[in-house]
């Protein structure tokens, strides 16, 4: 009986210690783009640190901003694109990054350390980058396609797929007209309006999350997509080709940021450093073949990954980040609502 009592006492103490440990380990709350962070990455972090992780998904930067404003303190780590990082910094909505807590920050390539959205990475850490460019089924499209106007040629009427993003579409027309893509003014929108009005009726499909299916089935022959989607197409069938428009192209950088009112900043910084490990960053590239900004991770990527012309396009000189354009985003929405009726 005495031995039984002692055993029960030991078990009770162990159970109490376990409960106290669980209670003292706050959850890391992620607010991320779609399924952009592989579950195996989250599981690996939790296994190593014992920090539980929850994730909530958003489709657009604007939807993320609305939720962030309406739910202060609800998230510890968010995943905005470059122009939204700039916007959040201007509004004082981000906590400074403590680089001393993120030793793997040194793995980032120098070109991603001085982004116009956050020079010196005071508030953000690049997660994955990429471009928006032209994908072509070379079995169906035999003529050269090098510009936005080439894509929207009348001969490809109802054979075109584009990402469903108003600012992207407007930026293509601005680039085609030789207008800097961040110079969004009423005058410049008026200049590109007739061109967009000419283009839109020729589009068969607007799809921002999974354009591969329509292209593989042959529902469409070419279009403008995110480079990661084009990279997956090229992996499946070499008849697909990715081209950066000669007019210029948008380079996006999706980053990890900590909201100013985050309740678990320490865990957020641990997670950032964890995903910057080369072997972890490689897992992300395996699932999402965008442009990896991690120099150490690129060393462990396969040759076929590095040779994929969509993930790592050659001749990528004419690339430009989106900047925060403030209220002009409403002007874009109004223009596109009118033209897409």
């Amino acid at each position: 009986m005495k031995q039984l009592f002692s055993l029960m006492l030991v078990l009770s103490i162990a159970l109490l210690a376990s409960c106290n440990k669980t209670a003292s380990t706050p959850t890391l709350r992620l607010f991320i783009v779609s399924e952009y962070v592989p579950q195996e990455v989250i599981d690996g972090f939790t296994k190593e640190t014992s920090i539980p992780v929850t994730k909530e998904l958003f489709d657009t930067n604007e939807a993320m901003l609305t939720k962030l404003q309406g739910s202060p303190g609800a998230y510890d780590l968010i995943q905005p694109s470059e122009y939204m990082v700039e916007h959040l910094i201007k509004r004082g909505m981000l906590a400074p990054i403590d680089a001393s807590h993120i030793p793997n920050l040194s793995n980032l390539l120098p070109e991603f350390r001085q982004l116009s959205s956050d020079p010196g990475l005071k508030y953000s850490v690049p997660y994955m980058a990429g471009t928006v460019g032209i994908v072509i089924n070379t079995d169906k499209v035999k003529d050269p396609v090098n510009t936005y106007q080439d894509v929207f040629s009348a001969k490809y009427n109802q054979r075109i797929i584009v990402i469903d993003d108003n600012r992207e579409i407007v930026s293509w027309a601005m680039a085609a007209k030789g207008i800097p893509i961040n110079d969004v003014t009423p005058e410049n929108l008026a200049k590109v309006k007739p061109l967009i009005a000419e283009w839109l009726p020729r589009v068969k499909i607007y799809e921002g999350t999974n354009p591969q299916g329509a292209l593989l089935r042959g529902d469409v022959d070419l279009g403008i997509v995110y480079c990661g989607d084009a990279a997956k197409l090229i992996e499946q069938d070499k008849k697909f080709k990715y081209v950066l428009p000669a007019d210029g192209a948008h380079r996006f950088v999706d980053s990890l940021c900590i909201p100013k009112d985050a309740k678990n900043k320490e865990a957020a910084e641990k997670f950032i450093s964890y995903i910057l490990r080369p072997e972890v960053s490689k897992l992300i590239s395996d699932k999402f073949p965008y442009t990896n900004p991690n120099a150490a991770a690129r060393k462990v990527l396969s040759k076929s990954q590095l040779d994929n012309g969509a993930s790592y396009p050659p001749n990528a000189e004419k690339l430009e980040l989106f900047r925060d354009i403030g209220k002009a985003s409403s002007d874009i929405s109004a223009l596109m609502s009118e033209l897409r009726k």
Side-chain angles (χ1 to χ4, degrees):
M1 181 66 72
K2 186 176 181 180
Q3 290 178 335
L4 180 60
F5 176 77
S6 298
L7 179 60
M8 291 178 65
L9 181 61
V10 170
L11 290 173
S12 297
I13 292 172
L15 180 61
L16 181 61
S18 176
C19 291
N20 286 339
K21 183 178 180 181
T22 300
S24 63
T25 306
T27 297
L28 173 64
R29 300 159 303 161
L30 304 180
F31 196 25
I32 59 176
V33 182
S34 189
E35 297 291 343
Y36 207 3
V37 181
Q39 188 59 45
E40 53 264 45
V41 170
I42 294 173
D43 293 342
F45 174 76
T46 298
K47 182 178 181 180
E48 180 175 311
T49 63
S50 299
I51 297 173
V53 178
T54 63
K55 62 180 179 181
E56 186 174 335
L57 311 180
F58 64 84
D59 293 326
T60 68
N61 281 278
E62 289 68 29
M64 180 272 296
L65 175 62
T66 299
K67 192 70 179 288
L68 199 62
Q69 291 172 321
S71 307
Y75 309 107
D76 301 306
L77 200 58
I78 59 175
Q79 200 174 44
S81 298
E82 72 284 354
Y83 71 95
M84 186 55 67
V85 170
E86 184 179 2
H87 182 78
L88 293 170
I89 292 172
K90 287 179 182 178
R91 299 188 65 170
M93 295 177 68
L94 298 180
I97 297 289
D98 189 337
S100 67
H101 294 167
I102 309 174
N104 292 323
L105 202 59
S106 60
N107 288 338
L108 287 172
L109 287 161
E111 66 187 278
F112 291 97
R113 294 174 170 276
Q114 294 297 328
L115 300 173
S116 56
S117 54
D118 181 21
L121 304 183
K122 297 176 183 177
Y123 296 92
S124 64
V125 175
Y127 174 81
M128 202 60 70
T131 54
V132 177
I134 303 167
V135 66
I136 306 159
N137 180 340
T138 60
D139 281 355
K140 299 286 187 69
V141 178
K142 300 301 183 181
D143 294 335
V145 178
N146 296 305
T147 68
Y148 295 110
Q149 192 64 58
D150 290 341
V151 173
F152 292 103
S153 169
K155 62 186 170 184
Y156 303 125
N157 185 46
Q158 294 304 299
R159 306 303 300 164
I160 303 167
I161 186 169
V162 300
I163 58 177
D164 193 3
D165 185 297
N166 287 339
R167 183 170 180 184
E168 283 288 352
I169 295 170
V170 168
S171 76
W172 307 336
M174 293 177 70
K177 288 286 189 180
I179 302 170
I181 61 174
N182 288 301
D183 193 8
V184 183
T185 64
E187 294 76 17
N188 284 336
L189 290 178
K191 291 177 183 177
V192 299
K193 181 179 178 180
L195 186 58
I196 299 172
E198 175 189 314
W199 286 354
L200 294 186
R202 297 172 184 166
V203 175
K204 182 176 183 179
I205 300 173
Y206 294 90
E207 175 59 71
T209 57
N210 184 26
Q212 301 101 292
L215 284 153
L216 285 167
R217 289 190 303 269
D219 299 339
V220 288
D221 300 329
L222 76 170
I224 304 176
V225 301
Y226 296 115
C227 70
D229 294 315
K232 290 179 181 179
L233 280 166
I234 293 170
E235 287 174 356
Q236 295 178 72
D237 196 325
K238 298 303 181 185
K239 71 184 179 186
F240 291 103
K241 179 182 178 183
Y242 184 73
V243 177
L244 288 178
D247 321 66
H250 170 212
R251 162 175 271 185
F252 60 86
V253 179
D254 297 324
S255 295
L256 294 172
C257 302
I258 303 172
K260 186 176 183 179
D261 49 15
K263 297 177 181 177
N264 200 359
K265 186 173 187 286
E266 181 180 350
E269 289 175 335
K270 285 182 179 179
F271 186 83
I272 293 172
S273 196
Y274 179 78
I275 65 98
L276 286 174
R277 292 181 188 175
E279 68 276 10
V280 176
S281 189
K282 181 184 184 302
L283 285 176
I284 299 169
S285 280
D286 290 345
K287 194 83 172 280
F288 303 103
Y290 292 95
T291 306
N292 196 318
N294 188 323
R298 289 197 191 183
K299 292 179 180 178
V300 296
L301 293 179
S302 69
K303 185 178 185 302
S304 64
Q305 287 176 304
L306 293 172
D307 288 345
N308 191 312
S311 301
Y312 303 95
N315 305 318
E317 291 83 16
K318 294 182 69 174
L319 298 178
E320 193 170 358
L321 297 174
F322 277 170
R323 301 298 304 268
D324 175 31
I325 56 173
K327 294 180 180 179
S329 59
S330 298
D331 296 333
I332 288 177
S333 296
L335 172 65
M336 293 301 292
S337 293
E338 177 187 345
L339 295 178
R340 291 180 64 172
K341 284 181 180 177

